[in-house]
Amino acid sequence: MELALSELRRDTDVQLANLEGQLALLFQRNELNELQARDQARQLNELEDRLSAAEREQVTRAHLDNRFRHTLALLSLIAAIASVAVALLTTMLSR
């Protein structure tokens, strides 16, 4: 009877040690998963910030069309001023 109890106690101790080892491994894996989740959340936030910045600085087709219209208007104004200057110069030289 004592031998059976001794074996049962030894088997129980072995199983308890196995369970403790498995629990320790699970805790370690859980900590690693939490670290990875935090790292991925940080990376996701960085990517969202970069995307927001890119969207804010993005040049749209409407922006380019508007800029082209302004450039064309400025060139037209310069051409008009140049033609007025040439006309005045021609008038002054023909006198």
Side-chain angles (χ1 to χ4, degrees), residues 17-82:
N18 284 339
L19 284 174
E20 287 174 350
Q22 289 174 355
L23 280 174
L25 182 60
L26 287 174
F27 283 131
Q28 185 179 16
R29 285 182 181 171
N30 186 40
E31 288 176 1
L32 179 63
N33 286 337
E34 286 177 356
L35 287 174
Q36 288 175 340
R38 273 188 247 137
D39 186 47
Q40 288 174 349
R42 181 189 53 78
Q43 288 176 353
L44 184 60
N45 287 334
E46 288 175 3
L47 289 173
E48 286 174 348
D49 292 343
R50 288 175 56 192
L51 179 61
S52 294
E55 287 174 342
R56 278 193 309 273
E57 296 170 3
Q58 149 183 334
V59 177
T60 63
R61 173 114 183 152
H63 178 71
L64 290 175
D65 288 343
N66 191 25
R67 195 169 181 188
F68 177 74
R69 281 193 294 272
H70 282 101
T71 304
L72 195 58
L74 182 61
L75 289 175
S76 298
L77 181 62
I78 291 171
I81 291 171

